[in-house]
Amino acid sequence: METYSARLTGELARRVNLDLAALPGRANGLPPTAWSILGFAAGVARDYLRRKEPPAIIHIGDMACWPFALLARFGNPRPAVLLSAHGTDVSYHRRGGWKGRLYGAYLRLGAWLNRNATVIANSSATARVAAESGWLGVAVVPLATDLAGSASVPPHGRHLLFAGRLIEQKGCLWFVRNVLPLLPPEIRLKVAGPIWAKAEAAILDDPRVDYLGSLDKDALVAEYRNALCVIVPNIEPASGEFEGFGLVAVEASAVGGVVLASATGGLVEAVIDGETGFLVPPGDPPAWRDKIAKVAAWDETRRSEYLTAAIARSRQAYSWGRVADDVVKIYDGALAAEGQVR
């Protein structure tokens, strides 16, 4: 979400007049403290109420911050309100328990108080979940990536790569237990990313798994390019949690990786099937085995032709300039609905 806000506002500043209010996370990577959030909210409200004229649009960076939309009530003419939705910020209620129920009620209250707001979801899956809490005016704008490697086709090893946080829904442990045993013994799996869920640490017990830990950008690009396939094997857990978009799939395809991703959640929009990667039925070990076998059987000419086209298509479809252009079109539509123009 932080990267989204930073990159989108950078592009929007080239297209519209923009006043930015942002609260960065802490230096150690953790979110801001509660006191910082309260101080930030008070400062934004103060600065807004001191304005001589209200802005035409208030765009809020994630759904959990919907109370900022109430500032629109203090404008004449009233600003159009837009909120970006990413995934967990609209789906946390699906986890259940008192925290999930409380958050769900919080989102429903926001939807009721902001009935004319427009939600910009990063995928159709995120849009559907936003509607569960009553947010109905939803537009979909898929995300982008800054990663780029050489446009040349890289050599590859006989290993697969998983990159990302190790949590249940991302499916790494499921893949190790259900798909890796079906593959030829010479095919190994490299895993890059932090272990967030203790249960996922069981991947370390498999002798065919090489754990790389968290990688910097350059090292990650090299691993994307050198893998036989980059796997994004998300599963559909009972909790109902899902991948809001699936940035790994976009990153890998943009730098020269062959992406295989589960056809679930936001991944169906992070992969253009057959062009920037291949979608595989989630939770289907034989389907994963067969797709990996097909890619492994490509000769160098077939792989080169595919990757050359995939790199170009991915960089065209998943650019931040395209995201900003899509968002500006939504701005214009929201202003027209309010009887205003940009």
Side-chain angles (χ1 to χ4, degrees):
M1 285 188 269
E2 192 170 5
T3 299
Y4 166 90
S5 295
R7 290 297 288 113
L8 177 59
T9 53
E11 290 291 336
L12 287 175
R14 303 175 185 178
R15 294 161 170 81
V16 299
N17 293 324
L18 184 69
D19 290 330
L20 177 64
L23 177 63
R26 286 179 274 177
N28 60 5
L30 293 174
T33 65
W35 287 112
S36 296
I37 293 171
L38 289 173
F40 173 70
V44 170
R46 179 199 62 220
D47 293 344
Y48 180 88
L49 295 173
R50 287 177 175 175
R51 294 177 64 103
K52 294 181 179 179
E53 296 181 356
I57 290 171
I58 296 176
H59 186 168
I60 298 165
D62 71 88
M63 298 296 288
C65 294
W66 69 255
F68 285 112
L70 300 179
L71 291 172
R73 297 171 182 263
F74 299 93
N76 186 21
R78 180 175 292 191
V81 172
L82 297 97
L83 305 96
S84 290
H86 305 272
T88 303
D89 56 337
V90 291
S91 67
Y92 188 82
H93 65 281
R94 287 187 167 189
R95 298 186 184 184
W98 69 268
K99 291 182 179 179
R101 291 193 295 273
L102 181 62
Y103 187 76
Y106 172 74
L107 283 184
R108 290 192 296 275
L109 176 62
W112 181 72
L113 291 173
N114 299 285
R115 289 183 287 273
N116 295 327
T118 299
V119 174
I120 302 176
N122 59 7
S123 69
S124 297
T126 299
R128 288 192 294 270
V129 178
E132 293 177 2
S133 299
W135 300 88
L136 300 179
V138 184
V140 175
V141 177
L143 299 186
T145 180
D146 286 319
L147 283 193
S150 169
S152 63
V153 176
H156 66 87
R158 294 289 292 176
H159 65 272
L160 310 173
L161 175 71
F162 171 93
R165 294 171 296 141
L166 287 157
I167 56 176
E168 181 190 12
Q169 75 185 55
K170 290 187 180 290
C172 186
L173 181 58
W174 171 86
F175 185 93
V176 168
R177 288 178 171 172
N178 296 280
V179 182
L180 196 57
L182 303 180
L183 301 176
E186 69 272 16
I187 292 183
R188 301 182 63 81
L189 173 66
K190 290 186 178 183
V191 176
I195 300 174
W196 279 29
K198 291 182 179 180
E200 295 291 307
I203 65 165
L204 303 179
D205 299 331
D206 193 294
R208 295 171 66 185
V209 171
D210 301 312
Y211 182 58
L212 308 178
S214 297
L215 301 178
D216 63 29
K217 182 178 70 173
D218 291 340
L220 184 58
V221 168
E223 291 295 341
Y224 282 149
R225 289 171 59 83
N226 293 335
L228 172 66
C229 301
V230 178
I231 60 164
V232 192
N234 286 50
I235 58 175
E236 298 174 339
S239 65
E241 293 182 77
F242 71 105
E243 188 78 60
F245 182 66
L247 197 54
V248 164
V250 172
E251 290 178 346
S253 63
V255 301
V258 179
V259 175
L260 308 183
S262 292
T264 185
L267 286 167
V268 298
E269 278 149 317
V271 173
I272 304 172
D273 192 24
E275 296 186 44
T276 67
F278 300 94
L279 294 172
V280 185
D284 188 338
W288 278 89
R289 176 201 60 203
D290 293 347
K291 182 59 71 173
I292 292 168
K294 287 183 179 179
V295 174
W298 286 354
D299 60 25
E300 291 306 311
T301 298
R302 173 73 179 93
R303 186 177 178 93
S304 178
E305 290 174 348
Y306 168 79
L307 283 175
T308 299
I311 291 170
R313 182 74 174 100
S314 183
R315 294 182 183 180
Q316 177 268 326
Y318 299 109
S319 71
W320 283 109
R322 189 271 306 159
V323 173
D325 288 341
D326 289 352
V327 168
V328 169
K329 290 177 184 177
I330 295 170
Y331 284 176
D332 289 339
L335 291 173
E338 295 286 342
Q340 301 182 56
V341 294
R342 177 162 54 90

